Amino acid sequence: MGDWEMRPASVVDVEAVAELRAVVLRADLERLGRYDPRRVRQRLRDGFDAACTWVIEVGGGFAGCVALRPAGDAHWLEHFYLAPAVQGAGVGSAVLRELLERCDRDGVVVRLNVLRGSAARRLYERHGFMVETEDAVDVFMVRTPTR
């Protein structure tokens, strides 16, 4: 799918992103026995930083978001959510590829965590992420820059 773009997020995007997070994570969180409709939204609100977040638009409309937060020796890929209607169409791979190319140019390690059993893990593995550690809920992954 070639008709997508990213724009910088603003504080007014937080509620749309919180709702999308609740939709996208619901099945995995229910499977893990961790779904709470209030908490899933509030965790996004509490961690939302518009300065390092982009809104993904497809055909000019809201379709998702992604954040790349600098922290210590790496950047954390966070809040990467795509609306179900655009999942599987190549948008996620294209967005991830663009962000990772930026990190590669700057020599930046990228870290993330993904819910255990999430299909998103395969996307990350295809883009060079390796499992670093895991616990009962999360799988922590890391990707070193490629040259």
Side-chain angles (χ1 to χ4, degrees):
M1 178 174 282
D3 186 21
W4 67 273
E5 63 184 17
M6 289 192 297
R7 65 164 173 82
S10 73
V11 294
V12 300
D13 294 310
V14 70
E15 289 306 317
V17 173
E19 284 304 311
L20 179 59
R21 181 179 197 266
V23 169
V24 170
L25 294 184
R26 184 174 186 150
D28 284 331
L29 289 171
E30 285 179 340
R31 178 180 42 76
L32 294 167
R34 308 282 290 202
Y35 184 75
D36 176 318
R38 187 198 63 74
R39 187 169 186 257
V40 72
R41 291 169 176 86
Q42 192 59 47
R43 284 194 64 177
L44 182 283
R45 291 179 191 114
D46 292 345
F48 187 80
D49 181 355
C52 58
T53 304
W54 293 271
V55 168
I56 302 163
E57 295 180 339
V58 173
F62 177 79
C65 70
V66 63
L68 196 59
R69 179 180 53 84
D73 67 340
H75 284 15
W76 279 85
L77 183 73
E78 299 174 321
H79 309 305
F80 192 9
Y81 310 118
L82 286 176
V86 300
Q87 291 177 10
V91 174
S93 288
V95 167
L96 189 54
R97 190 169 33 256
E98 182 174 311
L99 292 175
L100 294 175
E101 285 171 1
R102 293 178 195 176
C103 291
D104 287 348
R105 279 193 305 274
D106 296 338
V108 175
V109 172
V110 180
R111 297 181 186 284
L112 61 82
N113 67 291
V114 62
L115 292 171
R116 284 190 100 162
S118 171
R121 178 176 170 173
R122 290 189 305 275
L123 170 69
Y124 300 132
E125 288 172 336
R126 284 194 309 270
H127 288 273
F129 284 87
M130 306 292 290
V131 173
E132 196 168 39
T133 62
E134 52 188 293
D135 61 28
V137 176
D138 292 303
V139 177
F140 295 87
M141 303 181 83
V142 62
R143 180 186 179 274
T144 57
T146 61
R147 297 275 180 229

